[in-house]
Amino acid sequence: MQNFKQRTLNFLETEWATYIERFNRLPVDVGQKRVNGQGYERFRDMLAHILCWWEEAMPVILAIAEEREYERKKYDFDVFNAAAIEKYKDWDETEFLSHFEKTRQKAAADLRSMNEAAWENRRVRGWVNGVFIHHAREHLVALSRFLTLDTLENEWSTYIEDFSSVEDKNAFLKKQGVENFREILGHVIEWWGMGARIIEGIMSDPHFKWEDVNTDAFNADVIAKYAKLSDEEVQKQFEMKRQDMVRLVQGLPDDAFSNRDIEEWLAADMVEHFDEHAVNG
């Protein structure tokens, strides 16, 4: 698992640095559909939302790091997000994009120079995770290799450990609609396996077609299959499959991420699936 400071800087200097460029490579209709699916009329409105959370977070993070007082707020997220869109709606496009980029660079520079002890502060880590790391998954519109690998290597890698530290495990399992943790791990393993087979099929044959599955029947078969195994066996299989997926993603050529089918399977299986089943969500 990567050092939290370096991981944060990587998000700012890799994921967020290429965020707009990757979106602009999408066909216009695809990009618009994805933005609408996030609840925004325009990509620019979503950028304004992201930007305003960066602007809100950084003074708080730096104040904590420097042991200064800062205003503690209770946020009405709908009000905050509406104000973010309103704030930047009349800005010239070039000026707005330049401001977004300058804010990203300044945040990276300020975080890089922040004292090391601050990175262990719970509030700092909470703000950083919320606005720079989790936000990238929440507002995924054009998947990158970076985000896919980060989720596999820094989120899924501690998934079993994270579950073991959950106080009310029964409440989490009930919310997930399962009887035991083994069922969740089996569900993830099997969907990863299906995604990998489809991605490898597309890579070997551009005309590769797959049959859609009945999700309920698929998940029921998974439960039956993994009910026969011990917790230890399932956890071992989970970790082996996670490492297989890391190798798969590392070995994909760059243009694989421009293939709609491959990108959508990776996004759904590796990234969105994590937040769907996150134990701390």
Side-chain angles (χ1 to χ4, degrees):
M1 191 171 178
Q2 196 173 51
N3 172 278
F4 186 65
K5 175 181 179 179
Q6 189 56 55
R7 184 185 177 205
T8 304
L9 293 173
N10 289 345
F11 264 87
L12 277 158
E13 295 170 348
T14 301
E15 178 65 17
W16 289 114
T18 61
Y19 186 72
I20 296 172
E21 175 191 348
R22 283 184 282 114
F23 176 81
N24 287 337
R25 290 202 297 262
L26 293 172
V28 173
D29 60 328
V30 173
Q32 187 61 44
K33 183 178 179 180
R34 293 184 182 185
V35 167
N36 293 158
Q38 296 256 344
Y40 295 91
E41 291 186 14
R42 304 180 300 168
F43 180 56
R44 174 180 167 140
D45 293 339
M46 190 161 67
L47 291 180
H49 159 87
I50 292 165
L51 174 60
C52 281
W53 277 111
W54 291 353
E55 292 174 329
E56 186 76 9
M58 284 307 300
V60 174
I61 291 169
L62 295 177
I64 296 170
E66 296 162 11
E67 300 183 339
R68 292 185 283 106
E69 288 297 318
Y70 63 94
E71 182 183 0
R72 299 180 184 234
K73 302 178 184 177
K74 289 186 177 180
Y75 292 96
D76 181 317
F77 294 110
D78 290 337
V79 171
F80 182 94
N81 295 335
I85 294 171
E86 183 68 22
K87 177 179 178 179
Y88 287 110
K89 72 174 186 178
D90 295 326
W91 277 47
D92 171 77
E93 185 76 5
T94 301
E95 184 181 4
F96 171 72
L97 293 177
S98 175
H99 180 56
F100 183 92
E101 175 60 14
K102 287 176 181 176
T103 303
R104 179 192 69 79
Q105 292 180 11
K106 186 174 189 307
D110 286 345
L111 290 171
R112 186 179 294 280
S113 62
M114 190 169 70
N115 73 77
E116 297 298 321
W119 288 97
E120 300 305 316
N121 183 284
R122 181 178 59 84
R123 288 184 179 275
V124 167
R125 292 174 75 92
W127 273 102
V128 166
N129 185 64
V131 301
F132 297 119
I133 296 176
H134 179 266
H135 232 184
R137 295 196 308 273
E138 183 180 353
H139 296 301
L140 191 169
V141 286
L143 185 66
S144 66
R145 187 194 308 273
F146 171 85
L147 185 60
T148 313
L149 286 173
D150 178 86
T151 309
L152 281 164
E153 295 176 329
N154 292 291
E155 302 289 2
W156 286 115
S157 64
T158 63
Y159 189 63
I160 295 171
E161 178 186 345
D162 292 342
F163 175 74
S164 70
S165 66
V166 171
E167 268 190 48
D168 193 340
K169 293 179 174 59
N170 288 330
F172 169 72
L173 294 172
K174 184 177 180 180
K175 183 179 177 182
Q176 290 285 317
V178 298
E179 292 186 4
N180 55 64
F181 189 53
R182 204 166 57 244
E183 292 180 15
I184 297 178
L185 294 182
H187 166 84
V188 174
I189 292 167
E190 293 299 315
W191 278 107
W192 281 353
M194 178 182 291
R197 289 191 295 275
I198 290 171
I199 290 165
E200 288 166 348
I202 295 170
M203 291 303 300
S204 63
D205 177 8
H207 303 293
F208 176 83
K209 299 294 182 185
W210 66 91
E211 291 186 14
D212 290 331
V213 300
N214 179 302
T215 303
D216 291 339
F218 181 89
N219 290 335
D221 288 343
V222 168
I223 290 172
K225 175 180 177 179
Y226 286 88
K228 302 172 185 176
L229 304 177
S230 69
D231 290 348
E232 292 75 16
E233 287 174 305
V234 177
Q235 290 179 16
K236 183 177 179 180
Q237 285 191 30
F238 175 85
E239 179 56 20
M240 289 173 61
K241 181 60 71 174
R242 184 189 69 82
Q243 292 180 24
D244 287 345
M245 302 313 290
V246 168
R247 286 189 289 270
L248 171 68
V249 175
Q250 288 174 333
L252 289 173
D254 290 341
D255 61 6
F257 290 84
S258 298
N259 180 294
R260 285 270 307 283
D261 291 326
I262 291 176
E263 185 229 17
E264 288 176 0
W265 270 100
L266 288 171
D269 262 10
M270 317 297 170
V271 181
E272 294 165 349
H273 218 185
F274 176 77
D275 285 309
E276 183 181 342
H277 297 296
V279 297
N280 298 315

